[in-house]
Amino acid sequence: MAATTPVLAVKNLETWYGPVNAIKGINLEVQPGRIVTVLGANGAGKTTLLNTIAGVIDPFKGSINYKGQAIHGQDPDQVARGGVVLVPEGRQVFPFLSVRENLMMGTFARAGREHLEADLARVFAWFPRLLERQDQHGGLLSGGEQQMLAIGRALMGRPTLLLLDEPSMGLAPVLVEQIFQIIQDINKQGTTILLVEQNALMALAVAHRGYVLQTGQIVLNDTAEALQTNETVQKAYLGVE
């Protein structure tokens, strides 16, 4: 039986962020239909990894293959048009555009304009709060609402691979649970997800596989279930004494 081509295959990736060697020879795969999480402390290189995959930062060396085709070195709009869409850390919504206008900004990378209203309705079904506030400026939303808007904007691009950078950051626990439930729902509807997250407990609860990043290097790689019972992960990321 032929092996399945990964949606994403990162090989020997090295990236510099200014004078800092932030990513040091990373190898990582994301299989179709899976949620893969990357765990690590602040400064481990998680955001740099996602920004490199998304084309925001050019790698110094190594390769990034998306569905078997090289995408390293492409501009961010090319990467997005191919189906790889980033939800950046800190949300980065357009503060003076309405919620609806912010969502429509996510459609620039789509190959066609059909089904826009259906996709908008789907986003509003996941995030009813956005429907209530669709005419309000994005900058006036709460942190949780802005996170919903950032994810909704990305979904309007119909991604095959969704890159999520710290979706729980700064959110109240009840909102964190809601966001992670929606992440699972998005995945069940066919979107592959690469999730960078400091909340290891929640991330491993929804992921199929996980990587642990430490000072720019992968130090652990296993199923999410196995990582949950790994003594090193429990002590460093899950608060187990």
Side-chain angles (χ1 to χ4, degrees), residues 139-197:
L140 298 178
L141 301 182
S142 69
E145 290 164 347
Q146 288 190 13
Q147 186 64 69
M148 296 173 189
L149 181 55
I151 295 173
R153 181 181 61 194
L155 293 174
M156 289 299 292
R158 288 200 159 191
T160 299
L161 175 62
L162 184 63
L163 308 176
L164 288 171
D165 194 355
E166 302 284 9
S168 76
M169 181 179 288
L171 301 187
V174 64
L175 282 176
V176 171
E177 290 187 13
Q178 182 181 351
I179 290 293
F180 274 91
Q181 182 58 59
I182 289 167
I183 289 169
Q184 286 183 289
D185 292 343
I186 292 166
N187 174 248
K188 288 173 183 175
Q189 292 198 18
T191 303
T192 303
I193 296 172
L194 179 59
L195 167 67
V196 154
E197 181 55 58

Side-chain angles (χ1 to χ4, degrees), residues 7 9 17 44 50 66 72 74 80 82 84 86-87 97 99 117-118 132 137 150 155 169-170 172 178 180 185 204 225:
V7 170
Y17 195 78
L50 289 195
Y66 167 63
H72 47 277
Q74 290 186 3
V84 181
L86 171 66
V87 179
L97 296 183
V99 165
E117 288 302 319
E132 296 171 12
H137 283 176
L155 293 174
M169 181 179 288
Q178 182 181 351
F180 274 91
D185 292 343
L204 291 174
E225 185 178 13

Side-chain angles (χ1 to χ4, degrees), residues 11-226:
K11 295 183 180 179
N12 302 316
L13 190 69
E14 184 174 322
T15 301
W16 288 73
Y17 195 78
V20 178
N21 187 191
I23 298 296
K24 306 168 184 175
I26 280 181
N27 293 285
L28 175 150
E29 284 191 357
V30 181
Q31 295 295 332
R34 314 300 274 178
I35 300 175
V36 173
T37 188
V38 179
L39 308 176
N42 279 335
K46 304 186 303 297
T47 293
T48 301
L49 172 62
L50 289 195
N51 283 338
T52 305
I53 295 168
V56 178
I57 303 172
D58 288 331
F60 179 70
K61 64 181 181 181
S63 65
I64 304 169
N65 284 359
Y66 167 63
K67 297 198 291 188
Q69 301 296 315
I71 61 169
H72 47 277
Q74 290 186 3
D75 291 335
D77 65 308
Q78 290 178 285
V79 176
R81 289 179 196 281
V84 181
V85 180
L86 171 66
V87 179
E89 181 183 15
R91 296 120 197 184
Q92 298 183 25
V93 302
F94 297 98
F96 300 112
L97 296 183
S98 70
V99 165
R100 188 184 181 94
E101 288 168 338
N102 265 276
L103 292 172
M104 295 308 290
M105 288 296 289
T107 69
F108 82 96
R110 292 171 66 131
R113 309 301 293 176
E114 64 277 4
H115 309 304
L116 286 181
E117 288 302 319
D119 289 342
L120 195 61
R122 183 175 64 145
V123 169
F124 285 148
W126 271 322
F127 303 111
R129 191 70 170 159
L130 298 183
L131 176 61
E132 296 171 12
R133 295 179 173 255
Q134 62 177 307
D135 297 320
Q136 188 170 331
H137 283 176
L140 298 178
L141 301 182
S142 69
E145 290 164 347
Q146 288 190 13
Q147 186 64 69
M148 296 173 189
L149 181 55
I151 295 173
R153 181 181 61 194
L155 293 174
M156 289 299 292
R158 288 200 159 191
T160 299
L161 175 62
L162 184 63
L163 308 176
L164 288 171
D165 194 355
E166 302 284 9
S168 76
M169 181 179 288
L171 301 187
V174 64
L175 282 176
V176 171
E177 290 187 13
Q178 182 181 351
I179 290 293
F180 274 91
Q181 182 58 59
I182 289 167
I183 289 169
Q184 286 183 289
D185 292 343
I186 292 166
N187 174 248
K188 288 173 183 175
Q189 292 198 18
T191 303
T192 303
I193 296 172
L194 179 59
L195 167 67
V196 154
E197 181 55 58
Q198 277 194 312
N199 188 331
L201 191 64
M202 293 297 294
L204 291 174
V206 303
H208 300 98
R209 190 164 194 87
Y211 291 80
V212 177
L213 190 60
Q214 186 175 308
T215 59
Q217 296 177 300
I218 298 294
V219 295
L220 283 171
N221 162 27
D222 212 328
T223 65
E225 185 178 13

